[in-house]
Amino acid sequence: MEKILAENVKRICKAQGKQMKDLAGEMGVDPASLTRAIYGNARLDTIEKIAFALGVSANSLLEPIDVVEGFIRIGGKIYQFNSQEELEAITNKVGLINNR
């Protein structure tokens, strides 16, 4: 779980243009303490504080990164996917159709 937490926190910080030290500052903790928390056995209240500072749900910090689901519109048609494999299958299928 710690690896997932650390990867998600880093990914979200990058997407928001934040460095870990910025996140730590927003949380009012030392950057080293934040690093220890995300790579160690973070308590639920700590995870909730991190999530609040990032503006995301605590659950989103604990989900594996490879969980992919959603909708994509290609050429006016909307496709739903619930995994990386389904998304790849859709894009491969549409790619073959569009290349004809």
Side-chain angles (χ1 to χ4, degrees):
M1 180 176 87
E2 295 84 18
K3 182 178 178 187
I4 293 169
L5 176 61
E7 288 175 355
N8 283 332
V9 170
K10 290 189 297 186
R11 176 181 53 78
I12 294 168
C13 279
K14 183 176 179 179
Q16 294 181 1
K18 293 182 184 178
Q19 294 183 354
M20 293 292 287
K21 67 179 181 181
D22 300 327
L23 176 60
E26 290 175 21
M27 294 175 58
V29 300
D30 181 67
S33 296
L34 175 60
T35 300
R36 280 192 302 273
I38 66 172
Y39 285 102
N41 239 353
R43 296 178 0 192
L44 180 58
D45 65 324
T46 302
I47 294 169
E48 289 172 340
K49 288 177 186 176
I50 294 168
F52 181 79
L54 290 172
V56 299
S57 71
N59 286 344
S60 68
L61 295 179
L62 301 174
E63 291 178 348
I65 293 174
D66 61 349
V67 172
V68 176
E69 59 183 27
F71 297 88
I72 186 170
R73 182 183 359 219
I74 302 174
K77 185 171 180 182
I78 297 175
Y79 300 87
Q80 179 179 1
F81 55 92
N82 294 302
S83 68
Q84 180 73 32
E85 293 79 21
E86 287 181 8
L87 176 58
E88 289 172 4
I90 291 167
T91 56
N92 288 338
K93 178 180 174 186
V94 172
L96 290 173
I97 294 170
N98 289 337
N99 290 332
R100 288 185 185 172

